Amino acid sequence: MKTPYKNIYAVLKLNRFIVLAVVIFAMLSSTFSLFMVYKMNKETLNSAFAINTDGSIIPLKLVTQKENFKVEALAHLDLFHNYFYNIDASNYERNLEKALWLGNSSVDNLYRQKKADGVYNRLLQYSLVQKVLSIDSQIEEQNGTYVFRTVTIFEINRGSIIDTYELVSSGNLIPVDRNFPSNPHGLLITNYFENTLKKINDES
């Protein structure tokens, strides 16, 4: 008895179906894999991690920069002005070093100018205490650039005399990488300038 042979067209049709099914499955599998990679990448970009005091890693969900920027910027400016102007003979070197981390060369140039003018020598010579009383900053966006204006009220205690001053300063803020603990807000002060300084009170 002869073995019946299958119709060659039926065999080719079956093979074509199998090949087509394998190709479609491979394409679907590749598409799904790409989607998962994209999703994981997006989730990673929208997440940050902080290290707790005990060394454990804490995942943090990032919010958009515009929602968060003003709070971060005000805190950054408050930190800088406290470090730069809240000084006395015992802490000025430490505070100024911290302040320099928060600004670019414009802050460093101002520091060098004050040093050359003998500001810090007088602080040591006369044991002066310069204390910040209040910091009021205004921030606005101008053509993609963040501009600030800060009014700092501080007093200089000369022992028997306390003079109070109002300093108006201005500059720009740009986002940079966070650097704990040196620059916790991830911002940098640029084009920093002391606009006006006036004595507003004398107390004996």
Side-chain angles (χ1 to χ4, degrees):
M1 183 177 179
K2 294 183 178 179
T3 303
Y5 290 97
K6 293 182 179 180
N7 188 305
I8 187 64
Y9 294 106
V11 174
L12 291 175
K13 187 176 181 181
L14 179 62
N15 287 343
R16 185 173 62 181
F17 174 77
I18 294 173
V19 170
L20 188 60
V22 170
V23 170
I24 292 174
F25 177 78
M27 290 178 64
L28 290 174
S29 178
S30 299
T31 303
F32 179 75
S33 299
L34 289 173
F35 171 75
M36 291 302 296
V37 170
Y38 171 77
K39 184 179 179 182
M40 291 176 61
N41 183 60
K42 189 174 181 181
E43 289 178 353
T44 302
L45 290 175
N46 288 332
S47 302
F49 298 90
I51 300 178
N52 202 359
T53 53
D54 60 1
S56 61
I57 297 177
I58 308 170
L60 300 173
K61 195 72 175 177
L62 292 181
V63 295
T64 61
Q65 186 179 24
K66 286 190 176 181
E67 292 174 341
N68 196 33
F69 183 83
K70 187 172 182 180
V71 175
E72 294 269 14
L74 290 174
H76 186 84
L77 292 171
D78 189 78
L79 192 64
F80 168 76
H81 286 84
N82 266 302
Y83 282 149
F84 203 73
Y85 299 104
N86 200 70
I87 55 177
D88 57 41
S90 65
N91 70 8
Y92 82 97
E93 289 183 330
R94 181 174 64 254
N95 279 10
L96 291 173
E97 181 180 356
K98 292 178 180 178
L100 292 176
W101 275 96
L102 306 178
N104 72 345
S105 58
S106 61
V107 174
D108 184 64
N109 290 338
L110 178 60
Y111 159 71
R112 292 177 184 276
Q113 183 61 50
K114 287 178 177 289
K115 187 175 182 180
D117 292 341
V119 172
Y120 306 120
N121 282 338
R122 288 193 293 273
L123 195 75
L124 293 171
Q125 184 178 358
Y126 300 107
S127 298
L128 304 180
V129 177
Q130 185 169 295
K131 181 181 179 182
V132 172
L133 302 178
S134 67
I135 300 169
D136 181 25
S137 298
Q138 302 295 325
I139 304 166
E140 61 181 74
E141 186 177 358
Q142 297 178 358
N143 299 323
T145 301
Y146 294 99
V147 180
F148 72 86
R149 179 181 181 274
T150 300
V151 178
T152 305
I153 306 296
F154 64 90
E155 64 181 21
I156 298 180
N157 189 326
R158 295 180 169 86
S160 59
I161 299 175
I162 299 178
D163 295 327
T164 305
Y165 296 87
E166 178 189 85
L167 170 70
V168 178
S169 57
S170 62
N172 297 346
L173 285 170
I174 59 173
V176 295
D177 290 337
R178 294 178 191 270
N179 185 337
F180 293 94
S182 301
N183 191 335
H185 300 106
L187 295 169
L188 195 70
I189 295 171
T190 64
N191 301 320
Y192 186 69
F193 186 72
E194 292 183 343
N195 301 91
T196 60
L197 175 65
K198 64 178 181 180
K199 186 185 293 186
I200 58 176
N201 188 24
D202 283 316
E203 294 179 13
S204 302

